[in-house]
């Protein structure tokens, strides 16, 4: 009888320790920590004991590995502002040559032209560098003007203006078909493409109608600066990159419009590159 009682007590002890409660006598899981402000400390993961812990200046994410162990990532997960130069593009009109920022009007909705040139060159001014894989966030505000023979136009024709960003390796420059400097694929090998334009990112489009009348729409669209904004994400690997722009302006009815042109970058232009690092 004594042996039977002992066995019962041992079994009851095993059952009672199958679920452990902290601040609770009725644990609902194998380990149950009760309390709205309760925390768990693992000293093997703290800043003093683990070089992967970023310390008091920044939180460090804890991951679960294949065995179910709590671990710190081999590289810190973080967000970094990589690129934000003031007034990114050159302001003066350049009608030709390597730094052209003039785009000719077309009568069809295809045929983008490269336009706009960095106002200053160098790291942080025309290039940004990734040291590891990241999801890169692109934001821009791009200025443009429409004119003919150097002055604003008032022919009342409706036009469409479109832009996109492309990335070039190593430094500023326009690219030709097949140019190896154009970033055509993301870090996983997926093509970067929009509307048949290799490398196109952060596409934006606007409709524009000009006029110089005294009516209800008087002076709207005549001799003004306009701004287009774009936003996109792309996964990139380590390397040095330069953001460049391409654009198109087309009009459905070319009758009487003449040689209308668009200047890119005459105002204050901004492009912001943010890296979202991952493992």
């Amino acid at each position: 009888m004594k042996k039977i009682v002992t066995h019962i007590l041992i079994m009851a002890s095993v059952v009672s320790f199958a679920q452990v409660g902290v601040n609770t006598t009725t644990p609902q899981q194998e380990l149950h920590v009760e309390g709205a402000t309760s925390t768990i400390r693992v000293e093997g993961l703290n800043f003093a004991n683990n070089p992967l812990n970023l310390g008091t200046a920044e939180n460090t994410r804890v991951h679960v590995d294949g065995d179910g162990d709590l671990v710190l990532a081999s590289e810190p997960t973080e967000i970094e502002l990589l690129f934000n130069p003031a007034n990114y593009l050159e302001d003066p009109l350049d009608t030709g040559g390597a730094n052209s920022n003039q785009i000719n009007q077309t009568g069809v909705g295809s045929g983008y032209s490269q336009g706009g040139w960095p106002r200053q060159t160098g790291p942080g001014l025309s290039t940004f560098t990734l040291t590891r894989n990241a999801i890169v966030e692109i934001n821009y505000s791009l200025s443009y003007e429409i004119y003919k023979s150097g002055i604003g136009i008032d022919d009342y024709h409706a036009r469409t203006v479109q832009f996109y960003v492309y990335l070039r390796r190593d430094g500023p420059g326009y690219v030709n078909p097949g140019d190896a400097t154009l970033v055509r694929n993301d870090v996983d090998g997926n093509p970067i493409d929009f509307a048949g334009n290799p490398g196109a990112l952060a596409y934006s489009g606007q409709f524009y109608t000009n006029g110089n009348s005294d009516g209800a729409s008087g002076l709207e669209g005549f001799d003004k600066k306009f701004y287009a904004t774009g936003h996109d994400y792309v996964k990139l690997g380590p390397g040095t990159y330069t953001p460049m722009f391409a654009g198109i302006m087309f009009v459905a009815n070319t009758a009487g419009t003449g040689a209308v042109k668009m200047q890119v970058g005459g105002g204050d232009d901004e492009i912001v590159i943010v890296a979202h690092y991952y493992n």
Side-chain angles (χ1 to χ4, degrees), residues 60-74:
T60 302
R61 294 185 180 183
V62 177
H63 300 261
V64 179
D65 68 11
D67 295 325
D69 297 335
L70 300 180
V71 297
L72 298 178
S74 59

Side-chain angles (χ1 to χ4, degrees), residues 100-129:
S100 175
N101 59 5
Q102 179 174 271
I103 294 175
N104 296 328
Q105 175 181 271
T106 178
V108 296
S110 61
Y112 282 79
S113 299
Q114 301 165 15
W117 196 266
R119 187 169 57 88
Q120 303 177 83
T121 58
L125 300 172
S126 61
T127 65
F128 65 91
T129 298

Side-chain angles (χ1 to χ4, degrees), residues 11-94:
M11 292 299 295
S13 177
V14 171
V15 171
S16 66
F17 284 99
Q19 292 179 314
V20 178
V22 179
N23 297 332
T24 178
T25 58
T26 56
Q28 304 300 307
Q29 298 293 339
E30 285 80 1
L31 174 62
H32 181 174
V33 181
E34 188 169 86
T37 59
S38 298
T39 59
I40 297 175
R41 175 173 293 182
V42 182
E43 292 193 351
L45 301 182
N46 69 14
F47 182 58
N49 296 319
N50 197 314
L52 297 176
N53 191 307
L54 299 178
T56 58
E58 186 176 348
N59 291 331
T60 302
R61 294 185 180 183
V62 177
H63 300 261
V64 179
D65 68 11
D67 295 325
D69 297 335
L70 300 180
V71 297
L72 298 178
S74 59
E75 294 179 290
T77 302
E78 60 189 271
I79 300 174
E80 181 181 3
L81 178 61
L82 284 179
F83 191 73
N84 186 21
N87 190 15
Y88 181 54
L89 297 179
E90 287 186 345
D91 292 342
L93 177 63
D94 189 329

Side-chain angles (χ1 to χ4, degrees), residues 138-144 161-165 201-207 225-232 245-246 264 268-272:
I138 301 172
N139 301 277
Y140 69 82
S141 175
L142 185 66
S143 65
Y144 67 92
V161 176
Q162 298 170 339
F163 299 99
Y164 67 77
V165 174
L201 294 161
Y203 173 87
S204 68
Q206 296 181 345
F207 293 102
K225 279 188 175 64
F226 295 89
Y227 288 86
T229 60
H231 178 82
D232 210 345
F245 291 95
V264 177
D268 289 337
D269 309 285
E270 185 175 30
I271 182 161
V272 180

Side-chain angles (χ1 to χ4, degrees), residues 180-215:
T181 63
L182 176 63
V183 180
R184 299 171 180 268
N185 300 285
D186 68 12
V187 70
D188 296 325
N190 300 312
I192 301 172
D193 186 285
F194 187 91
N197 298 292
L201 294 161
Y203 173 87
S204 68
Q206 296 181 345
F207 293 102
Y208 165 95
T209 301
N210 59 29
N212 186 21
S213 68
D214 295 326

